[in-house]
Amino acid sequence: FSFDNIKLIKAFIHFEQLSDVHTHAINKVLKQSKNDFTIHYESVLQNAMAYNKANPIYAGNQARIMLKYNAKFYTKWRFGFNLEKDAGEKINWNINHAKPGFDHFSGYLFYRGKGLFNAVIIGDFQCGFAQGLTFWRAYAFRKSSSTVALRKVNASIRPHTGLDEYNFLRGIALSIGKSHYNIYSFLSFRNLDATPIDSSLRSFSSIIQNGYHRSAAEIYKSGLLNEILWGSNIRFNLSSWDFGASYVHQLLSSEIIPTQSLSSKYKFKGASNFIIGCDAVYSFKNGHLFTELSMSANRAIAYLVGAVITPDPSFSLYLFHRNYSVKFQPISSNAFGENSINQNENGTYMGIEYK
C-alpha cells in the first residue's frame, strides 16, 4: 500500500484486544436477552406421620422446592431448566451419588427460525399431533364441562417448561417445512419408573407416571425401564384443507406384562409398539370439520370425527363422535374422551355455547 491509500482506509480500521471483543459480544447478548428466574418453597407446618424422625417413611423432609429459569436471546433462541423436589423426596448433596442434586431436573435449548428449519429443540420437549389420538405427550385438557376443549390445535413440538415428570420427551426434535407443508420429527431416550414383576427386572407390570421418589419402594422403582421413542408427522396445507400423517414407534428395554385382571385384558403387552395415523381438518367461514384415524401394532382401529360451528360470535355448536376399539393400544394419547386411556369407548357428544 502507498501512504495515500493507508490514509484513505485508516478511518475504517480499528484495533482492540480480543478479550474485549468477546466481552462486548457477551454483554450485548445479555443486554438483549429476557430472563426469568423463579424460586418456590412450600411446607406444611404440622409434622406428618411419614416424616417422624424416629421412624420416617420418606427419605426427605416435607418441603417442596422448585427452581425455574428461562432465557430468551433475540427472537430465535431460548434456554431453560427446572429443578424440583416433591415433599418427602431428598436432595442428595453428594456428587458421587447415583443421582446427585434435586430429584427432578429438566432443561432445553430451543431455536426457532424462518428458513427450512422452523424449530430445533435439544433436551426436554413436548410433542403432540392432530387431535391427540395417534400421539400426544404434552399438556392438554380432557373431556370436561367446557366445550372449548373439544378440538385440539396441532401442538407440534415445543420446549418442556413445566414440572411434569412423565409427559415429556428427552432427546432432539425438529420442524422442517415451508408455508404449504411441515415435517415434525423427534427422537427420545428416557429412563421411566416402572413396577418390576420380580427381582430379575426382566419384565414389568406397569409404568409409573406420578414422579414420586419418597419412600424406599418408590426410589427402587426409579428409572428401571429404558424407553426409546421416535416418530414423525407430515402436514400439508391446501387452501381450506389441512392433511396429516403420523408414525410413532416405542421400544422398551424389558417387556410390559400387566397384572392379570378383567380391566387389563386388552392392555399392551410386550416391549415394542407402534402407532400409525392420519388426520384432516377442513376450515370454512363459520367453523371447522376435523377427523383422525389411528391403528396400533395389533391392527386395532380408533377414530374420531368432530365439528365446531359458529354461525354467530355469541353462539357455537359442538359435535363430536369417537369410536376407540377395546383392543386399541395407544403409546401415549390424549384425545377427547371419558377415560384416561383412549381405549374401549364409543360415544357421541354435543354441546352448545352461548355467550
Side-chain angles (χ1 to χ4, degrees):
F1 290 98
S2 66
F3 183 74
D4 293 335
N5 289 337
I6 292 175
K7 288 199 302 183
L8 289 174
I9 65 175
K10 181 180 179 181
F12 302 98
I13 300 175
H14 173 69
F15 297 94
E16 63 179 83
Q17 292 184 1
L18 188 61
S19 60
D20 294 337
V21 175
H22 289 166
T23 302
H24 177 71
I26 293 172
N27 290 336
K28 184 178 179 181
V29 170
L30 293 176
K31 186 177 180 180
Q32 297 187 8
S33 66
K34 295 181 180 180
N35 301 271
D36 294 316
F37 185 67
T38 304
I39 300 177
H40 176 88
Y41 177 92
E42 66 178 69
S43 180
V44 179
L45 296 178
Q46 295 82 6
N47 290 324
M49 291 289 293
Y51 307 97
N52 189 310
K53 293 184 178 180
N55 188 24
I57 298 175
Y58 295 152
N61 57 36
Q62 55 189 5
R64 181 174 183 262
I65 305 174
M66 177 266 291
L67 289 83
K68 295 183 67 175
Y69 174 73
N70 288 283
K72 184 176 182 180
F73 302 97
Y74 303 105
T75 58
K76 295 183 177 180
W77 293 93
R78 285 175 59 189
F79 167 78
F81 65 84
N82 302 319
L83 299 172
E84 187 222 21
K85 72 168 286 291
D86 294 305
E89 294 176 342
K90 183 180 180 180
I91 300 178
N92 296 301
W93 298 109
N94 184 2
I95 59 173
N96 295 320
H97 192 274
K99 193 176 181 180
F102 282 71
D103 175 75
H104 175 64
F105 170 81
S106 66
Y108 68 89
L109 177 64
F110 177 46
Y111 168 79
R112 181 180 293 279
K114 295 182 179 179
L116 181 63
F117 287 90
N118 298 325
V120 178
I121 305 174
I122 299 174
D124 297 334
F125 58 93
Q126 294 186 321
C127 186
F129 302 143
Q131 299 305 310
L133 184 59
T134 302
F135 184 76
W136 193 282
R137 193 171 287 186
Y139 301 127
F141 293 104
R142 288 190 176 272
K143 185 176 181 292
S144 67
S145 59
S146 174
T147 54
V148 179
L150 180 67
R151 174 179 175 261
K152 289 182 174 64
V153 178
N154 188 24
S156 61
I157 58 172
R158 60 189 178 190
H160 174 56
T161 59
L163 298 174
D164 193 309
E165 297 186 31
Y166 177 77
N167 281 311
F168 70 93
L169 302 166
R170 176 166 290 172
I172 185 170
L174 54 89
S175 170
I176 302 174
K178 295 293 183 179
S179 58
H180 61 285
Y181 76 92
N182 273 286
I183 302 173
Y184 304 98
S185 296
F186 68 87
L187 175 63
S188 171
F189 300 89
R190 284 192 61 196
N191 296 327
L192 303 178
D193 299 350
T195 303
I197 293 178
D198 53 44
S199 58
S200 68
L201 303 180
R202 294 179 180 176
S203 56
F204 297 83
S205 60
S206 63
I207 295 175
I208 303 171
Q209 301 182 13
N210 58 31
Y212 288 131
H213 308 113
R214 304 162 299 182
S215 65
E218 291 175 345
I219 295 172
Y220 173 71
K221 299 174 183 177
S222 174
L224 293 179
L225 187 64
N226 299 327
E227 178 197 53
I228 302 177
L229 198 63
W230 68 90
S232 291
N233 173 260
I234 303 174
R235 308 209 64 80
F236 296 95
N237 301 307
L238 303 173
S239 185
S240 300
W241 287 93
D242 182 74
F243 299 97
S246 306
Y247 176 83
V248 178
H249 198 115
Q250 181 189 50
L251 185 63
L252 303 174
S253 59
S254 300
E255 284 190 330
I256 296 293
I257 305 176
T259 304
Q260 290 187 358
S261 65
L262 186 61
S263 61
S264 63
K265 182 178 180 181
Y266 296 104
K267 286 186 177 180
F268 168 72
K269 301 177 181 67
S272 178
N273 191 15
F274 69 83
I275 302 289
I276 187 170
C278 59
D279 65 276
V281 178
Y282 175 70
S283 302
F284 52 98
K285 182 179 180 181
N286 295 321
H288 307 275
L289 304 176
F290 56 91
T291 183
E292 184 172 5
L293 174 69
S294 302
M295 183 181 72
S296 53
N298 63 349
R299 298 186 179 181
I301 300 293
Y303 68 88
L304 58 85
V305 181
V308 179
I309 303 172
T310 308
D312 185 84
S314 61
F315 178 81
S316 296
L317 176 65
Y318 300 85
L319 298 171
F320 189 94
H321 176 75
R322 74 271 190 193
N323 190 336
Y324 309 147
S325 170
V326 66
K327 296 181 179 180
F328 183 62
Q329 297 174 344
I331 294 173
S332 186
S333 64
N334 199 338
F336 186 88
E338 293 283 352
N339 302 320
S340 58
I341 300 176
N342 296 138
Q343 183 187 53
N344 191 24
E345 190 169 333
N346 187 356
T348 302
Y349 173 90
M350 183 176 71
I352 297 175
E353 184 178 43
Y354 179 76
K355 302 176 182 180

